[in-house]
Amino acid sequence: MSAPTTTPHPTGTAGGSTTRRRRRGPRTWLAALPLLVFTALCFGIPLGALIFGAVTRTDSGSGVTSLTGEHVARSLQGPYLGSLIGSVQLSVLTALIGAVLGVLIAQAVVTSRSQGLRSAALTASGVLANFGGVPLAFAFIATLGISGVVTQLADLGSLDWDLYSFTGLAVVYLYFLIPLMVLVTVPALDGLRPQWREAAQNAGATPWQFWRHVGLPVLAPSLLGGFVLLFGTAFAAHATAAALVGGSVPLVTLKIADALSGNVLTGQENVALALGLDMILIAGLVMAVYLPLQRRSARWLR
Amino acid sequence: MAAMTPTAQETAAVEAKSPAPDVTRTRRRRPGIRRGLVLGLAGAYFLVPLVASFVFTVHVPGQGISFDAYTQLLSADGFTESLLLSLGLAAATIALSLLLAVPALIAVRLGSPRLRPVIEVMCMLPLVVPPIALVTGITTVLRWGPEHLSRTPLYQTFIAVQNEKFPVVLVLAYAVLALPFVYRSLDAGLRAIDVPTLVEAARSCGASWPYTVVRILLPNLRSSLAGAAFLTLALVLGEFTIASLLGFQPFAVWIVSISGAQARMSVAVSILSLVITWALLLLLSRTGTASAASAPSRKES
């Protein structure tokens, strides 16, 4: 990683010419300055405003701003707490199902001999994992909504099927979570070298013993990392849920959107900020788990 | 939106890198059947909504097949405006994020390796902050304008960035959201070439700095620049949360706004936008494969 251009040249170290040699250092630093300034302004300031607003209260009469834990406390009570819990439940459930199904599909793709199937599955996963948001919601409304094609054909209405519910939302979320898991797992499964299985077989191990002592321990960081990534993705998703269920399922992203667009009592903006802070803390926790896991799994993936 | 983490480009690189393990020759029949079942069910789950939404748009109960939902699109209220707005925002976001990230990343490679972790953390941080949290922060900041700054020149800036015709504030927010993807794509591209050697060679042949960057480095980064641009384009075209909460109406917000009155058309537009995104990402994975083939030393991590 060290850049040869900046290593001090032995010829220049004796005299005053070192200053000239060093000039490239500050100059390259300047090229990175716009990016740093931009992130500080456009990311740092809103983030700062969010945190500041979440922990302070401004008295409307005197204009005095004081520190308070009131908003954060409010965001952890009643319907707000319910929405946080709802989001976490939905994310854990969908991430769990998505991780299991994603691994099954990835395993099927990796063990198949067909190169065509493999590249088709990977390309399709790459596309589908990015297919969240509004279009996905409408595709599912057309399919499994009240007058959706599949709903009509299979007469799901009589079976109490409801797309605009917790279960419905989970079915929709899986549409982009499973491909995401496939993308994360295929390289990990590739890293499971055939030689290890052969060695285990030669040593007299059963397939179960192979998975128990070699396969799963090697895969564990990638699988956990994939689960956490899926959780984070489902947790932060807003557009799909907003286009699909509006307000009927308690989700923290929908509550924040409600509070921001003024659908609730005035003076709730700070609670929205506190909810945003709660979300960042949870997402930050998730990343703190994900990044070390990813680094650990990278060891096996060449 | 955070679902965009593994890029189609990475996928392509994985494809190109690993030959299928062919130790499976001695396998018994059962795993084959199980595999077929898994893949068949997965295929059904992923295909049915696509097919069903297409059927939904062309089949009107009681009237038979009609392509009205597609043909009426162009004349629909707000379709062209919102699409043009989204494309304009995408172009501006791509330009801005590349202009910011390319010099910074080259500089980190060349002369300031100590800045590297700083830049990396800064570029990856937006992944931790969900778009909805970012937009709550942005609305708070925008409210400062009328509340505290109404008598300063800064106020005019606040008004200008929220121009209905071209909301610069969206470009800034999207550039923040795109930063992780742009960083990853460029970083992978830069890792594949030997920047210091290329620059030293060019400089000692008498090339100026701008010439070196534009004619030597950028052509070598072509595929990762394209990758960054495509991912940003897909992100901006599909973005809903920030735009809708700030009260603007680009493409994704428009689709939702017509869904109540014209359900068929909103599904038709959704299919179209899927096809467009699909085509973009396929194009991207094509360029990714090409670059992986021409640079066999390239390593993905």
Side-chain angles (χ1 to χ4, degrees):
Chain A
M1 294 310 135
S2 67
T5 37
T6 49
T7 48
H9 291 243
T11 47
T13 44
S17 62
T18 34
T19 46
R20 180 158 304 189
R21 291 265 174 234
R22 286 243 183 93
R23 251 181 56 201
R24 192 171 291 161
R27 228 201 273 152
T28 51
W29 182 80
L30 278 179
L33 197 62
L35 181 70
L36 297 176
V37 170
F38 171 80
T39 22
L41 281 181
C42 296
F43 185 60
I45 293 185
L47 204 62
L50 169 85
I51 296 170
F52 181 77
V55 299
T56 57
R57 172 186 42 204
T58 304
D59 194 272
S60 50
S62 59
V64 178
T65 302
S66 57
L67 211 64
T68 172
E70 177 199 340
H71 307 304
V72 178
R74 277 251 292 284
S75 78
L76 296 174
Q77 283 167 12
Y80 296 114
L81 180 66
S83 72
L84 268 175
I85 293 177
S87 273
V88 169
Q89 274 176 341
L90 181 65
S91 312
V92 168
L93 181 77
T94 51
L96 212 59
I97 301 176
V100 171
L101 296 182
V103 169
L104 283 179
I105 294 173
Q107 169 75 3
V109 168
V110 167
T111 57
S112 98
R113 265 170 290 171
S114 154
Q115 193 60 237
L117 169 73
R118 186 192 166 84
S119 65
L122 284 173
T123 313
S125 302
V127 173
L128 292 172
N130 294 331
F131 180 39
V134 173
L136 179 66
F138 283 119
F140 265 89
I141 289 176
T143 309
L144 290 168
I146 293 170
S147 57
V149 173
V150 173
T151 319
Q152 301 283 329
L153 277 180
D155 197 19
L156 289 174
S158 63
L159 298 172
D160 268 350
W161 164 255
D162 181 10
L163 178 67
Y164 313 99
S165 66
F166 189 88
T167 328
L169 214 48
V171 171
V172 179
Y173 275 23
L174 286 175
Y175 201 82
F176 56 85
L177 292 179
I178 294 177
L180 188 58
M181 190 66 188
V182 172
L183 283 183
V184 177
T185 336
V186 163
L189 287 171
D190 279 337
L192 217 56
R193 282 168 229 177
Q195 291 91 323
W196 296 345
R197 186 192 285 272
E198 286 162 16
Q201 258 167 7
N202 289 343
T206 61
W208 161 246
Q209 280 172 321
F210 167 76
W211 281 111
R212 167 78 184 72
H213 295 289
V214 182
L216 282 180
V218 170
L219 287 183
S222 317
L223 297 187
L224 258 174
F227 169 78
V228 164
L229 186 67
L230 262 53
F231 174 86
T233 307
F235 189 67
H238 165 251
T240 315
L244 201 62
V245 298
S248 59
V249 177
L251 292 180
V252 63
T253 49
L254 299 177
K255 274 277 182 306
I256 295 179
D258 268 357
L260 277 187
S261 39
N263 290 350
V264 289
L265 302 165
T266 48
Q268 297 274 353
E269 292 95 351
N270 289 66
V271 180
L273 296 178
L275 279 172
L277 185 61
D278 296 341
M279 281 192 82
I280 293 175
L281 290 180
I282 295 179
L285 218 83
V286 160
M287 276 296 158
V289 174
Y290 173 65
L291 291 178
L293 282 175
Q294 202 195 26
R295 208 162 298 143
R296 255 195 80 180
S297 68
R299 224 190 314 162
W300 300 103
L301 303 181
R302 284 156 290 180
Chain B
M1 280 298 118
M4 297 183 77
T5 315
T7 66
Q9 197 177 10
E10 283 166 22
T11 317
V14 169
E15 277 164 40
K17 179 176 70 180
S18 42
D22 49 1
V23 285
T24 50
R25 216 159 287 152
T26 55
R27 76 170 43 255
R28 285 148 293 160
R29 192 174 280 163
R30 241 184 82 244
I33 293 174
R34 204 167 50 197
R35 188 170 63 221
L37 196 69
V38 167
L39 290 177
L41 285 177
Y45 173 67
F46 288 108
L47 282 179
V48 164
L50 300 179
V51 176
S53 3
F54 183 69
V55 171
F56 183 84
T57 56
V58 296
H59 177 76
V60 185
Q63 288 176 30
I65 304 293
S66 127
F67 285 91
D68 283 355
Y70 294 91
T71 49
Q72 285 167 3
L73 253 185
L74 278 177
S75 57
D77 225 16
F79 172 76
T80 1
E81 287 91 334
S82 62
L83 185 61
L84 286 179
L85 176 59
S86 272
L87 290 176
L89 289 172
T93 309
I94 292 170
L96 175 65
S97 50
L98 289 183
L99 274 177
L100 289 170
V102 170
L105 286 179
I106 291 178
V108 164
R109 290 270 153 191
L110 273 182
S112 322
R114 269 200 222 146
L115 259 183
R116 197 186 156 81
V118 180
I119 299 272
E120 182 170 0
V121 167
M122 277 210 147
C123 289
M124 286 302 162
L125 263 184
L127 279 185
V128 180
V129 177
I132 189 115
L134 182 65
V135 77
T136 51
I138 293 176
T139 39
T140 315
V141 173
L142 289 181
R143 220 176 293 135
W144 290 348
E147 276 175 18
H148 305 295
L149 306 168
S150 47
R151 250 167 278 160
T152 63
L154 256 179
Y155 185 55
Q156 292 307 317
T157 323
F158 270 78
I159 301 291
V161 297
Q162 295 183 72
N163 185 349
E164 277 287 325
K165 292 257 168 54
F166 194 80
V168 179
V169 63
L170 286 186
V171 174
L172 300 177
Y174 292 165
V176 169
L177 290 188
L179 219 50
F181 310 114
V182 171
Y183 174 84
R184 277 197 191 175
S185 188
L186 288 179
D187 190 55
L190 282 166
R191 206 175 292 177
I193 59 174
D194 190 350
V195 180
T197 309
L198 280 177
V199 169
E200 264 178 30
R203 296 285 288 156
S204 53
C205 288
S208 65
W209 267 109
Y211 189 92
T212 309
V213 170
V214 175
R215 301 298 298 272
I216 312 292
L217 289 180
L218 290 190
N220 273 303
L221 292 173
R222 207 180 301 134
S223 74
S224 67
L225 288 173
F230 282 141
L231 284 173
T232 311
L233 179 58
L235 184 141
V236 175
L237 282 185
E239 209 286 327
F240 169 80
T241 304
I242 294 184
S244 84
L245 286 175
L246 290 182
F248 301 108
Q249 202 178 51
F251 201 50
V253 182
W254 178 78
I255 301 179
V256 176
S257 75
I258 60 155
S259 68
Q262 287 157 304
R264 224 166 285 284
M265 194 183 278
S266 69
V267 176
V269 177
S270 299
I271 294 182
L272 285 183
S273 76
L274 167 69
V275 170
I276 295 171
T277 322
W278 199 307
L280 281 176
L281 291 168
L282 280 182
L283 208 68
L284 163 62
S285 76
R286 194 65 52 79
T287 50
T289 324
S291 80
S294 61
S297 64
R298 173 183 170 145
K299 281 208 176 98
E300 287 282 341
S301 65

